[in-house]
Amino acid sequence: MSSTGSDAGDGGLGAPQTKTPGEKASGAASADGSGWTRASCPCCAGGPVEPLVLLQLRAGLPRETKDWVITLIATAVKQGGAGLSAHPGEEPSGDIVVVSAPRCTLLRAAEELGLCKPYRTGAMTAFSYHDRGNFRDADDMQVFLTLAERQYIVKNELEGLRAQRDLKIPGLPEGRLLQRRDNIWQKLMAVGVVQGMFPLNDEDKLKALSDCWYSGNQLTQPLDKIHAYFGGTVAFYFSFLDFYTWSLLPPAILGLILTVFSGSVNKEAMDSISDSKVAAGDGDGDHDDDAQTVSGHMIQAVFSMLWSTVVIEMWKRRSTLLAYRWGTTQLAERFSEPRPAYHGALGVNPVTGRVEPLFPAWQRELRMALVSVPAVGLFLGLVVMGMLCFYWGEARAQGLHAEWDSLLSSVVLYLPSVAHIVYTNALGTAYRQVALALTEFENHREESAYNDHLTGKILVFTFFNYFAVLFHIAFYKQDLPLLRKRLASLLIITQLVNQVTEVVIPFLVDRFLSAPKRKEKKEDPQEDKFRNQSSLPDFPGLFSEYIELLVQFGYLSLFSCVYPLTAVLLLVNNLTEIRSDAYKMCKLFKKPFSAPVAGMGVWQTAFEVLSFVSVISNCWLLLLSPRLQELGQENGVTGTNVVLVAVLMEHLLIMIKMVLAKLIPDEPDWIRVKREQNEFISMQALGQQKQ
């Protein structure tokens, strides 16, 4: 069970009983002396075998069922199998199967996924199996494909298994039948034969990554190593987290300058914590402070609008560069097998010509219109109900404070905000489960479409859940001191809660509950080390991490003009977030599968939308500034004229944002040239084939 074929045979395991799915096995699925099944491709037989994925089977599963699963994994693709290699573990009747992948299977899958790899000319080119001799290092899978890519290919091949005819799963009751074109892997999961699967850690590579990621004093992220080990989904998240965190430096510095050198801004910052309000006319210098407050807030507002545009446009360039470097610019998911949970009547795909489940688009749209939209609307209604309860509690707390005027009543003033934050977090957790069920019900064919619709549902709710109260306070109640206090509460309390729930609790659970159970020594059998990995909890995904960043970005771009210290608090939080998230990835959870991706997907669109909305928000917040309204009254400017000026400024700033977005191209010139060269070479090759 080690990384070489010779070592894998130390346990002296015999070959499992082999049958092809439904009948006797051919020699392709037999095992060699190491216990690994032989590769179905003759050119891949022999040589080192790398354990990539561990399957967890049901305890007490009949031996013939396990043998059938192993045979299914090892049988050639043309015969209905996955074309992979499998090892039954030290105990042939045990509850695990370790899976590897031969070279030819990996290369064919790389072509189907649309991965780009270095061509002999050095350019990143879409990989072609028939032209594999012209790609660099195509004979060495350890170099040609990253560990994350190899493991994802194993998962993709297993989840793409479909029955070629009706058959019975050996060792299970008669009712457990597979019908033609059924997804085999989904069926095995549904009946409990397979309890789960996860990619195996390479302890040496993980230790090296940890040392240069969160254990040392490095200020930059080892993005290429993260991508190679954890895959594109994780790498793009940490790349954006790193980029966004350092982008917080300019607004943080500006916020500190405004707070230190503007007396009223400083007083407002303190008042947001102590709950007292800025008193106008309490001294000779108050008028000047108010002028500085307006000036400082105007600078902060305009800066936030322009900053958000530049940050998003520069991130697009960085994202394109990383996608080119990691070979994910030409992914072809729409031509691959449907996702395992996709179902429908069997038919011929008009694009690929394959027999697969087909589901009419109008039925999906009908489900979204009649089920998903009303369900989302219901939860948005619950958000409104929570907001109304918050205002009721706020009024009661202020009444008590006015009556008691004590330290206790000052604390009570914050209880409605704290209770509402807890309520919104609990509602968000429940909604995510509902969103998962709704998106599954919609029955999307591609994994990316499924993820985009799921993320879209969560984004709509998140925006409403986190920002509805702030918009209501700002533009309906027009209570800037309350908005400032609410924003300070959100920034401080939410970050403390996140740090405790995301880092402290998982660390304590791992340190005192999980770690003692999986203590291992260097001389322990490899299988025991694999089983220790299975005791870790599943990785919960990056939804909550992206939502946290999106909410942060919203607080900063939409409302920071009323609380300039926003960027400072976010910067401090994110500097610890980078290392805590890295620690969680490496220590606290099972390694996740990570699909090749070309960017953040729909999350990037969400950040762009917030960047656009920030123009409108900041312009109207400035309009509500008491000092600005006072200046308008002193100079005889009517309310209508003030609104017209605000609209004019809003449109002017939107035009400036559009010009900035146009001046900063999404794609660096050298990548554009490389891409056009690849297109020209492909066109020439196609022309030569036609001759």
Side-chain angles (χ1 to χ4, degrees):
M1 301 281 292
S2 65
S3 60
T4 62
S6 58
D7 293 341
D10 291 345
L13 299 178
Q17 299 295 321
T18 55
K19 301 175 183 177
T20 56
E23 58 185 46
K24 292 288 182 181
S26 64
S30 63
D32 56 26
S34 66
W36 287 96
T37 56
R38 291 199 190 101
S40 56
C41 178
C43 66
C44 299
V49 181
E50 177 189 27
L52 293 173
V53 173
L54 186 138
L55 308 182
Q56 295 174 287
L57 307 180
R58 186 180 69 214
L61 190 71
R63 171 71 182 276
E64 58 180 326
T65 307
K66 179 177 180 180
D67 292 345
W68 182 86
V69 170
I70 291 175
T71 301
L72 176 71
I73 294 170
T75 301
V77 174
K78 292 181 179 179
Q79 299 175 12
L84 303 170
S85 298
H87 195 294
E90 301 298 331
E91 293 293 335
S93 59
D95 60 354
I96 68 166
V97 174
V98 183
V99 185
S100 182
R103 173 176 167 270
C104 287
T105 299
L106 292 172
L107 293 179
R108 287 194 174 94
E111 180 181 28
E112 291 175 1
L113 291 172
L115 296 177
C116 294
K117 293 297 175 182
Y119 203 62
R120 55 189 169 94
T121 60
M124 296 294 288
T125 306
F127 177 71
S128 170
Y129 180 79
H130 296 292
D131 192 28
R132 59 189 180 278
N134 288 317
F135 283 83
R136 295 180 178 177
D137 302 310
D139 291 330
D140 187 353
M141 293 298 97
Q142 300 281 336
V143 178
F144 188 71
L145 294 172
T146 67
L147 176 61
E149 288 170 344
R150 299 194 298 274
Q151 290 174 327
Y152 176 77
I153 286 172
V154 171
K155 173 181 179 287
N156 194 53
E157 295 299 308
L158 292 175
E159 291 184 341
L161 285 169
R162 291 192 178 271
Q164 294 186 336
R165 62 185 178 281
D166 295 349
L167 54 89
K168 176 183 178 297
I169 302 176
L172 297 186
E174 291 294 332
R176 313 290 187 165
L177 295 177
L178 283 165
Q179 297 180 343
R180 182 173 179 267
R181 295 305 297 169
D182 274 355
N183 186 284
I184 299 176
W185 208 250
Q186 186 183 15
K187 186 73 170 181
L188 293 176
M189 296 283 288
V191 301
V193 172
V194 178
Q195 301 288 326
M197 65 175 171
F198 63 92
L200 290 166
N201 278 316
D202 184 312
E203 296 300 333
D204 293 335
K205 292 181 179 179
L206 183 60
K207 177 66 166 60
L209 176 60
S210 301
D211 290 342
C212 66
W213 195 3
Y214 66 85
S215 298
N217 298 317
Q218 297 83 358
L219 295 178
T220 58
Q221 301 285 293
L223 295 178
D224 288 333
K225 293 182 179 180
I226 297 172
H227 173 261
Y229 194 83
F230 284 109
T233 306
V234 175
F236 269 106
Y237 164 73
F238 277 99
S239 177
F240 180 74
L241 175 59
D242 178 72
F243 177 83
Y244 167 67
T245 298
W246 292 114
S247 298
L248 290 172
L249 271 175
I253 293 172
L254 177 63
L256 283 173
I257 291 174
L258 292 176
T259 302
V260 171
F261 292 100
S262 174
S264 293
V265 172
N266 189 310
K267 193 173 190 304
E268 288 171 356
M270 297 301 102
D271 291 341
S272 66
I273 299 175
S274 65
D275 193 52
S276 61
K277 295 189 176 182
V278 179
D282 286 344
D284 296 337
D286 283 344
H287 182 80
D288 294 337
D289 281 347
D290 283 343
Q292 290 178 358
T293 299
V294 172
S295 176
H297 287 172
M298 290 181 66
I299 293 172
Q300 181 74 39
V302 174
F303 179 85
S304 295
M305 289 181 276
L306 299 180
W307 171 85
S308 63
T309 301
V310 172
V311 166
I312 294 302
E313 294 304 317
M314 293 303 294
W315 164 251
K316 288 181 184 178
R317 288 175 62 85
R318 182 173 183 175
S319 178
T320 304
L321 188 150
L322 292 175
Y324 177 83
R325 193 161 84 198
W326 295 337
T328 56
T329 56
Q330 300 184 39
L331 299 177
E333 185 186 15
R334 66 186 183 278
F335 302 133
S336 61
E337 285 280 343
R339 50 187 291 269
Y342 179 70
H343 58 272
L346 284 181
V348 178
N349 187 310
V351 177
T352 63
R354 290 194 297 257
V355 176
E356 64 180 47
L358 300 179
F359 189 76
W362 67 266
Q363 289 189 23
R364 181 179 302 111
E365 292 170 359
L366 192 64
R367 290 183 176 188
M368 287 190 286
L370 298 182
V371 180
S372 296
V373 172
V376 173
L378 173 64
F379 273 86
L380 296 184
L382 292 175
V383 173
V384 174
M385 186 184 73
M387 183 172 64
L388 294 176
C389 292
F390 162 69
Y391 288 135
W392 177 83
E394 187 80 13
R396 293 295 300 272
Q398 288 178 354
L400 287 174
H401 182 58
E403 181 180 346
W404 296 351
D405 193 21
S406 63
L407 179 62
L408 178 61
S409 63
S410 297
V411 174
V412 171
L413 281 173
Y414 280 90
L415 290 181
S417 293
V418 173
H420 187 252
I421 292 171
V422 173
Y423 173 79
T424 55
N425 287 336
L427 193 62
T429 301
Y431 177 78
R432 278 193 286 275
Q433 299 302 315
V434 174
L436 281 168
L438 290 174
T439 311
E440 197 68 58
F441 176 69
E442 291 166 4
N443 196 29
H444 297 280
R445 182 186 184 278
E446 290 88 20
E447 195 72 35
S448 60
Y450 173 87
N451 290 331
D452 286 348
H453 281 81
L454 175 60
T455 304
K457 291 181 183 66
I458 293 179
L459 286 179
V460 170
F461 177 81
T462 299
F463 185 86
F464 206 79
N465 195 23
Y466 283 92
F467 298 116
V469 171
L470 296 178
F471 276 108
H472 189 270
I473 293 173
F475 303 118
Y476 181 77
K477 299 187 71 174
Q478 298 185 8
D479 189 343
L480 294 188
L482 177 60
L483 176 64
R484 191 174 298 115
K485 185 185 75 170
R486 174 70 175 179
L487 188 60
S489 300
L490 285 169
L491 288 170
I492 296 171
I493 296 174
T494 303
Q495 291 179 16
L496 288 175
V497 170
N498 286 339
Q499 290 293 327
V500 171
T501 57
E502 294 182 10
V503 181
V504 177
I505 293 177
F507 173 78
L508 293 176
V509 170
D510 177 73
R511 183 69 178 269
F512 297 106
L513 297 180
S514 301
K517 298 178 182 178
R518 59 171 190 270
K519 287 182 178 179
E520 57 184 50
K521 301 176 182 177
K522 196 170 184 179
E523 62 272 12
D524 287 346
Q526 192 69 47
E527 182 175 323
D528 292 347
K529 297 179 181 179
F530 291 164
R531 289 183 182 277
N532 285 338
Q533 293 182 35
S534 68
S535 66
L536 291 169
D538 292 330
F539 181 64
L542 295 171
F543 272 104
S544 59
E545 312 300 337
Y546 271 122
I547 286 175
E548 182 181 349
L549 293 181
L550 186 71
V551 172
Q552 282 187 13
F553 188 79
Y555 291 157
L556 180 59
S557 61
L558 298 176
F559 303 108
S560 64
C561 66
V562 300
Y563 193 66
L565 289 177
T566 300
V568 178
L569 296 176
L570 296 181
L571 179 62
V572 172
N573 176 80
N574 286 6
L575 287 174
T576 61
E577 181 87 6
I578 291 175
R579 291 182 180 269
S580 63
D581 283 354
Y583 175 81
K584 287 191 298 183
M585 288 293 305
C586 295
K587 292 290 187 181
L588 302 185
F589 298 104
K590 289 176 187 161
K591 182 182 178 183
F593 287 104
S594 181
V597 292
M600 296 196 305
V602 71
W603 292 105
Q604 182 170 298
T605 304
F607 281 95
E608 291 185 77
V609 170
L610 279 183
S611 175
F612 183 83
V613 175
S614 70
V615 175
I616 303 171
S617 173
N618 282 283
C619 282
W620 292 100
L621 282 174
L622 288 177
L623 180 64
L624 296 175
S625 169
R627 180 58 183 161
L628 193 60
Q629 293 179 351
E630 181 183 337
L631 287 174
Q633 293 174 358
E634 291 175 355
N635 292 278
V637 180
T638 65
T640 303
N641 290 335
V642 171
V643 172
L644 290 175
V645 171
V647 171
L648 180 63
M649 287 296 299
E650 173 190 291
H651 283 68
L652 178 62
L653 287 168
I654 288 175
M655 288 181 60
I656 294 174
K657 283 177 70 73
M658 295 174 65
V659 171
L660 279 174
K662 195 69 176 176
L663 290 176
I664 305 175
D666 297 347
E667 187 178 53
D669 287 340
W670 68 272
I671 292 183
R672 178 184 56 79
V673 171
K674 291 284 188 182
R675 176 175 52 78
E676 292 175 353
Q677 286 177 347
N678 288 339
E679 292 175 357
F680 178 71
I681 293 172
S682 299
M683 188 173 61
Q684 281 188 321
L686 183 62
Q688 292 175 357
Q689 290 178 0
K690 291 181 178 180
Q691 291 177 357

